[in-house]
Amino acid sequence: MTTGQTNPPTIPSPLAVPSSLRGLQTALTSPDPAALSRLQHPQPDDSSSAVLILLSDGPDPSVLFTVRARNLRHHSGQISFPGGHAEAYDDNLVDTALREAREEVGLDRAEVNILGTLPSAEVPVSHSVVAPVVGWWRPDNSLVASPSEVASIQRWPVSKLADPSHRVSAQLRPDSIIGPAWQFDDLFLWGFTGLLTDILLRLGGWEKPWHHDRVVPVPQRFGSDVFDPDAP
């Protein structure tokens, strides 16, 4: 693992950005501080991890998520973006995000066009500093989950993520903070990934009004940081 890396500059896409993503691309160049207000920015920036927020190129772009394998030591069973810790051989944190996506879901880095990055942020529960990398692709090839890391792959369109009927506020414990979350059948998206998803919808201009006061407890299956084989 390498530390001390800073957020890399935006890398222009070699292809024309789809019209559905141009608003997001513009917003990433100078994000609205209000949209980023809930992120915990480390001082100094000492990013040691990166995640890839990947959208498709269609008129209703889908966003790629993974359900982490239940046997993982940390955040098992939770929904996340592909990503992980930087390695010494990574050129930068964009390289880290692309490598991790390749390892987790078989994504060819040559298919990814980088739109930009979000400011690095600290994940409160682990205190790791994560650089979110935003990109797009044309999903012509199938993705394959690495069974040792990923239980399943989910792709939800932004229209579904913005649908107020799927949106709730999540609370892990009665004394913990409340954050944005989503319910899709038996899947529950929340936490740092939920916060980044909320920011993505705002920056992309896709957010719709929703009931922030609809607070639900995080299901046990999605709330444990340590592997529990008996969790429902």
Side-chain angles (χ1 to χ4, degrees), residues 24-140:
L24 175 61
Q25 182 189 37
T26 299
L28 287 170
T29 62
S30 183
D32 179 3
L36 307 178
S37 61
R38 297 195 64 175
L39 290 178
Q40 297 185 18
H41 304 296
Q43 296 294 334
D45 182 354
D46 190 24
S47 303
S48 58
S49 301
V51 296
L52 178 64
I53 304 174
L54 186 67
L55 300 98
S56 68
D57 63 338
D60 184 13
S62 63
V63 185
L64 176 69
F65 297 89
T66 64
V67 179
R68 291 170 59 82
R70 293 291 296 275
N71 63 304
L72 291 176
R73 184 64 183 167
H74 296 290
H75 307 292
S76 62
Q78 295 187 18
I79 297 174
S80 65
F81 294 115
H85 290 290
E87 300 291 352
Y89 45 79
D90 292 336
D91 292 335
N92 50 45
L93 290 168
V94 170
D95 196 42
T96 297
L98 294 175
R99 174 183 54 76
E100 288 285 344
R102 174 70 176 178
E103 294 174 1
E104 293 182 20
V105 299
L107 177 68
D108 186 346
R109 66 172 56 214
E111 298 180 21
V112 180
N113 303 277
I114 303 301
L115 279 175
T117 59
L118 289 170
S120 295
E122 182 176 347
V123 181
V125 67
S126 64
H127 301 293
S128 60
V129 180
V130 178
V133 177
V134 184
W136 67 274
W137 71 313
R138 292 173 174 164
D140 297 326

Side-chain angles (χ1 to χ4, degrees), residues 38 160-172 177-185 187-190 208-219:
R38 297 195 64 175
K160 190 171 184 176
L161 291 165
D163 186 342
S165 67
H166 294 296
R167 300 207 63 174
V168 297
S169 292
Q171 189 171 33
L172 183 60
I177 61 173
I178 297 173
W182 285 257
Q183 291 177 313
F184 295 117
D185 297 323
L187 296 178
F188 195 82
L189 165 62
W190 74 292
K208 296 180 179 179
W210 59 284
H211 296 290
H212 295 249
D213 57 352
R214 188 154 67 103
V215 181
V216 301
V218 177

Side-chain angles (χ1 to χ4, degrees), residues 193-216:
T193 304
L195 183 57
L196 292 180
T197 302
D198 183 67
I199 293 171
L200 179 73
L201 293 179
R202 292 190 186 190
L203 295 181
W206 299 302
E207 185 183 37
K208 296 180 179 179
W210 59 284
H211 296 290
H212 295 249
D213 57 352
R214 188 154 67 103
V215 181
V216 301

